[in-house]
Amino acid sequence: MQISPAVEDYTKAIYALQERGDGCAVTTNALAERLGVTPASASAMVKKLAGMGLVSHVRYRGVQLTAKGSAIALEVIRHHRLLEAYLSESLGVPWDRVHDEAEVLEHVLSEELEELIADKLGNPTHDPHGDPIPTRDGLMPDEPTVSLQTLATGDCGRFVRISDADPEMLRYLAARGIAPGDGFEVIDKQPFDGPVFARFAGEVHVLGGTLARAMRVEL
Amino acid sequence: MQISPAVEDYTKAIYALQERGDGCAVTTNALAERLGVTPASASAMVKKLAGMGLVSHVRYRGVQLTAKGSAIALEVIRHHRLLEAYLSESLGVPWDRVHDEAEVLEHVLSEELEELIADKLGNPTHDPHGDPIPTRDGLMPDEPTVSLQTLATGDCGRFVRISDADPEMLRYLAARGIAPGDGFEVIDKQPFDGPVFARFAGEVHVLGGTLARAMRVEL
DNA sequence: ATTCAAATTTAGTCACAACGAAATTTGATT
DNA sequence: AATCAAATTTCGTTGTGACTAAATTTGAAT
């Protein structure tokens, strides 16, 4: 039972969708859309994953990762995030490009290189976007956050995390010197999904609705 | 016209066989054996490569890389050798393991990462086994060498290069502290493919026939 | 010139992972 | 309960790159 890159990608996608979803099963359509394949293709692969014991599948209902499936997903995510950290820190790859590079390298990273990279970086706990790196033994640190968008005028917090999937956003933040770990204060918050005005290190920045929703805040 | 990993591997193999061969075309069987596939599979791929304009093919005679094919081979070889140098120098991967790691990474290394790695290493000209690294613009430095096995008692020389394909040999040399760049003197040479006794840095070492044939000497 | 073994190619198959089109199931609405 | 749209699955096909078995070509030996 070989684990192909395709299987790794599906497993990783199911893991990600399970996270954001409210505990219920991951639908075939959601999976297909996330991976950019047709529902028919996703359906076929789901059947294969079920046969491999990586997911439990109820026809027309959706899938859930088994322990075995989660282990594979976490392994790949560890590869991905370690690589992002490594590319950023050791090779100076810009913030908004590490994701795409890691996306292909994650599938061919040997366990030995994984070890060497982790050691070289001092066993980092977070990648450059603030996403936690699963541990060597396959555990994902649980770090509750809220969207910056939910804060109100006057609230203070620390920006700790943002999705690595949208390079545009990352460039916007990078251009303004905003990075995970930075503290801030909400100066003004407009209703109806309006922009958030927040002060980072003295400077006030405008964070549009989508951006504010993507930025995660500690606690 | 996509360049798949398979196409890269075939192109690279043809390049390598062309080098060691005496200028004549590379046979399907040699290609198949080198890649560990059946002659039928190699034959099918040769037809595809010819269709892509990467090789010229005469049925039942063999193949030769076109300029386009050579360019692809050299690009992949550059990736491979840069990666070997990088893994060895920056991550401390042992000498005898860099080849296998590079073998998979070479196919997914982006041009951007290639640049960063080359810069980081100061644009190295040789990999850890002494193999020359093709230049950015796709030129392979020509460095004539002879096999250590061809030397006679009393000859001196500098060991500069050894194939990265046999980890066993590399471990043997590494265990004795012998590396490309080391000067030596042939103390004794037995006839009939017998062992070569050579002094490296004061120590005399026994180099069996196969090993002595694999070791390349400057000039 | 014929024969023969080795090298090479062709023909037919398989596994993988995608696709579009068509059938099926679901759950919400009437 | 019947209907209907959306989600899901099935069916048949495609493209890669491997395989085995069966031609075919070559070049050397008779």
Side-chain angles (χ1 to χ4, degrees):
Chain A
M1 199 180 320
Q2 271 283 73
I3 295 171
S4 62
V7 166
E8 291 182 344
D9 280 333
Y10 273 90
T11 310
K12 193 160 63 106
I14 294 168
Y15 185 92
L17 291 171
Q18 261 180 196
E19 290 302 270
R20 281 287 164 223
D22 31 359
C24 55
V26 173
T27 67
T28 299
N29 256 17
L31 196 49
E33 190 182 5
R34 177 168 183 111
L35 289 169
V37 299
T38 61
S41 304
S43 186
M45 183 58 90
V46 156
K47 187 187 285 186
K48 182 183 175 180
L49 294 177
M52 295 170 76
L54 304 184
V55 301
S56 58
H57 179 219
V58 183
R59 298 225 282 102
Y60 296 99
R61 278 301 158 79
V63 290
Q64 260 188 310
L65 287 175
T66 62
K68 208 163 137 195
S70 289
I72 289 175
L74 287 165
E75 175 70 18
V76 180
I77 292 169
R78 177 171 162 84
H79 282 189
H80 183 95
R81 295 185 179 167
L82 273 175
L83 282 164
E84 287 195 340
Y86 183 77
L87 294 174
S88 174
E89 286 190 28
S90 291
L91 278 170
V93 178
W95 211 31
D96 57 310
R97 296 207 201 122
V98 294
H99 175 73
D100 289 339
E101 299 281 358
E103 199 66 21
V104 296
L105 291 171
E106 65 185 10
H107 300 297
V108 296
L109 184 66
S110 69
E111 293 309 292
E112 188 186 347
L113 273 192
E114 177 196 311
E115 274 301 307
L116 286 169
I117 285 175
D119 287 351
K120 177 122 194 170
L121 295 177
N123 295 293
T125 57
H126 294 80
D127 74 12
H129 313 97
D131 292 329
I133 299 175
T135 61
R136 235 177 281 272
D137 39 306
L139 295 176
M140 176 71 90
D142 183 31
E143 293 169 348
T145 58
V146 295
S147 163
L148 192 150
Q149 219 251 340
T150 64
L151 302 193
T153 303
D155 286 352
C156 287
R158 202 156 66 86
F159 164 50
V160 293
R161 186 172 175 182
I162 185 167
S163 163
D164 60 357
D166 188 339
E168 199 61 56
M169 279 186 192
L170 300 181
R171 274 193 294 275
Y172 183 90
L173 291 178
R176 281 157 188 74
I178 300 174
D182 294 353
F184 66 90
E185 179 187 355
V186 177
I187 299 304
D188 191 28
K189 166 69 194 305
Q190 298 299 322
F192 305 119
D193 210 18
V196 177
F197 296 81
R199 180 164 50 222
F200 285 81
E203 285 288 317
V204 176
H205 299 278
V206 188
L207 309 169
T210 302
L211 178 54
R213 223 173 303 113
M215 296 174 73
R216 310 294 302 181
V217 176
E218 193 176 54
L219 246 173
Chain B
M1 200 181 317
Q2 270 285 70
I3 295 171
S4 62
V7 167
E8 292 181 344
D9 279 333
Y10 273 90
T11 308
K12 191 160 64 108
I14 294 168
Y15 185 94
L17 291 170
Q18 259 180 198
E19 290 303 90
R20 281 289 163 220
D22 32 357
C24 55
V26 173
T27 67
T28 299
N29 255 18
L31 196 49
E33 189 182 5
R34 177 167 182 113
L35 290 168
V37 300
T38 62
S41 303
S43 187
M45 183 58 89
V46 156
K47 186 186 288 187
K48 181 182 175 179
L49 295 177
M52 295 170 75
L54 303 184
V55 301
S56 58
H57 178 218
V58 183
R59 292 207 314 75
Y60 296 100
R61 277 302 157 79
V63 290
Q64 259 187 309
L65 288 175
T66 62
K68 207 163 139 195
S70 289
I72 289 175
L74 287 165
E75 174 70 19
V76 179
I77 291 169
R78 178 170 162 84
H79 282 189
H80 183 94
R81 295 185 179 167
L82 273 175
L83 282 163
E84 286 194 340
Y86 184 77
L87 293 174
S88 174
E89 286 189 29
S90 291
L91 279 170
V93 177
W95 211 30
D96 58 309
R97 296 208 202 121
V98 293
H99 175 73
D100 289 339
E101 299 281 358
E103 199 66 22
V104 296
L105 291 172
E106 65 186 12
H107 300 298
V108 297
L109 185 66
S110 68
E111 293 310 291
E112 187 185 348
L113 271 192
E114 177 196 312
E115 275 300 306
L116 287 169
I117 285 175
D119 287 351
K120 177 123 195 170
L121 295 177
N123 296 293
T125 57
H126 294 79
D127 74 12
H129 312 98
D131 293 328
I133 299 175
T135 61
R136 234 178 281 272
D137 38 306
L139 295 176
M140 176 72 89
D142 183 32
E143 292 169 349
T145 59
V146 295
S147 164
L148 193 150
Q149 218 250 340
T150 65
L151 302 193
T153 303
D155 287 350
C156 287
R158 202 156 65 88
F159 163 51
V160 293
R161 186 171 174 182
I162 184 167
S163 162
D164 60 357
D166 188 338
E168 197 63 58
M169 280 186 192
L170 299 182
R171 274 192 294 275
Y172 182 89
L173 291 179
R176 281 157 187 77
I178 300 174
D182 294 354
F184 66 91
E185 179 186 355
V186 176
I187 300 304
D188 191 28
K189 166 68 194 306
Q190 299 297 322
F192 306 120
D193 210 19
V196 177
F197 296 81
R199 180 165 50 222
F200 286 80
E203 284 288 317
V204 174
H205 299 279
V206 187
L207 309 169
T210 302
L211 178 54
R213 222 172 304 112
M215 295 173 73
R216 312 292 303 181
V217 176
E218 194 175 52
L219 244 173

